[in-house]
Amino acid sequence: MQFQDNGVNLGNAIAVSNGAATLTTSTLAVGAHSFTARYVPANAAAYETSVSAAVALEVTAFAGVTASQTITTEVKAGELLISVANQNVVLPSPVMATDGSLLTTTGALNPITVTDTRAGNPGWTVSGQVTDFVSGGNAINGANLGWSPKVVDKSPVQTIAAGALVEPANAIAPGATAPAGRGLAAARTLAVASALAGNGTANLSADLALKVPTSTLAGTYTATLTLTAI
């Protein structure tokens, strides 16, 4: 028995045994096939040649079998943190200005650490606002305190700009309104980190200047500077 594929012999003829002939192959090409079996008798005088009806077969490429897994991860929002290692700033006792019009003293803020780990790296702004200085029933107007912000250090990938110089009011009395832009009685910018350049850790500070009216009674005066990161 000669098996054929689209009229082409598949290997050699197979001897018929017990009325059957079998061909096994693993080399069929991808695509359409038409198989026939052609009987070739050993004794042409006794038997006639015959051909079977065609049997169609479509061979397709093995695409494999599939399975799936769902992979999930949660991206945390991160945090914007602000802290100071030392909360106490002591300014030297104010001294009389050379013209005798007011008392002055200077100093510096302790380093302020800002750490930003927020996803999206949106940038941040740190501002500060001070209360009046109080000693018992006496006060010094908080607007008499000014600062000169500075960036002490930062992560290499950060872009941070120090806030503008804020001059102190000129020793105004308690309760008086400071001239526009003077003093820290209103919130003032200490530093700004640009969007996409705020992630990391930075240390900020500022030089301080305080002007005190000569009429201020003796005492230890204390104010609270609130620093806000947003």
Side-chain angles (χ1 to χ4, degrees):
M1 190 73 69
Q2 178 64 59
F3 293 96
Q4 293 182 321
D5 179 10
N6 295 322
V8 178
N9 290 346
L10 287 173
N12 298 322
I14 305 297
V16 176
S17 176
N18 296 324
T22 302
L23 173 69
T24 301
T25 181
S26 60
T27 60
L28 296 178
V30 173
H33 296 263
S34 178
F35 299 109
T36 55
R38 183 172 178 270
Y39 174 64
V40 181
N43 183 354
Y47 301 98
E48 293 183 358
T49 300
S50 63
V51 179
S52 71
V55 177
L57 176 69
E58 181 76 20
V59 176
T60 57
F62 178 64
V65 293
T66 63
S68 65
Q69 295 185 27
T70 299
I71 301 174
T72 302
T73 183
E74 180 184 1
V75 177
K76 297 293 187 180
E79 294 180 301
L80 177 61
L81 304 174
I82 186 169
S83 62
V84 290
N86 183 354
Q87 296 181 332
N88 298 312
V89 177
V90 179
L91 300 179
S93 295
V95 297
M96 187 71 70
T98 54
D99 62 1
S101 61
L102 51 78
L103 307 172
T104 63
T105 184
T106 59
L109 289 179
N110 295 318
I112 301 148
T113 301
V114 179
T115 300
D116 187 5
T117 61
R118 293 173 296 171
N121 200 0
W124 45 260
T125 297
V126 173
S127 60
Q129 184 173 5
V130 74
T131 64
D132 287 345
F133 291 78
V134 175
S135 176
N138 303 312
I140 300 169
N141 196 316
N144 292 325
L145 181 70
W147 69 9
S148 178
K150 55 187 177 182
V151 179
V152 178
D153 56 54
K154 62 182 183 64
S155 300
V157 296
Q158 291 180 300
T159 300
I160 301 174
L165 168 68
V166 178
E167 295 283 1
N170 198 33
I172 61 176
T177 300
R182 291 285 183 126
L184 300 180
R188 308 295 184 187
T189 299
L190 179 64
V192 176
S194 301
L196 304 181
N199 283 171
T201 297
N203 288 297
L204 313 173
S205 185
D207 293 327
L208 301 174
L210 177 64
K211 295 183 177 181
V212 180
T214 57
S215 58
T216 303
L217 297 178
T220 299
Y221 289 77
T222 301
T224 299
L225 176 67
T226 300
L227 298 161
T228 302
I230 188 171

